[in-house]
Amino acid sequence: MEAVILCGLQGSGKTTLYRDRFLETHVRVSMDLLGTRSREAAFLGTCLATGQRFVVDNTNPAPADRRRYVDPARDAGFRVVGYLVEIGAAEAAARNAARPPGRRVPGKGIGDTARRLIRPAPEEGFEELWHATAAPGGGWRIEPLTVTRRLF
């Protein structure tokens, strides 16, 4: 049983990463699809109760945002893996502008998320952490996420 938590700006490629790496093996938990936190919680609860592997495809910029998925998954015996899907705010805004009008995030939203984004850390309950960036020419560059601990 595995829970994958994606983190990153709108337009960073989280959904594309899901399609490329997890579509055949994990269900997708996403506010874009489910629309409300209560529907999301019910769907997540079904995944946890049935042992269904899942990927959370939301921005999840801060530890408090991720905790709503990490803690219940760990309590249910899931292995929890995090991916930071990283992109610059300017590139995310350009990708967002290229989306169809109904799928665009308001311009202020990307900046707000960028200001709130805190790199995920093992202390949050992740068993693995990965750093994903879109590779030039397609595909992904995925490496272990380096976490610098505070010295003092």
Side-chain angles (χ1 to χ4, degrees), residues 63-78:
D65 300 305
R66 300 184 283 263
R67 192 171 304 120
R68 76 170 48 100
Y69 312 108
V70 173
D71 291 350
R74 287 184 59 87
D75 291 347
F78 279 68

Side-chain angles (χ1 to χ4, degrees), residues 91-101 103-104:
E91 188 174 349
R95 287 183 181 184
N96 183 53
R99 289 177 169 172
R103 293 194 50 234
R104 288 186 196 138

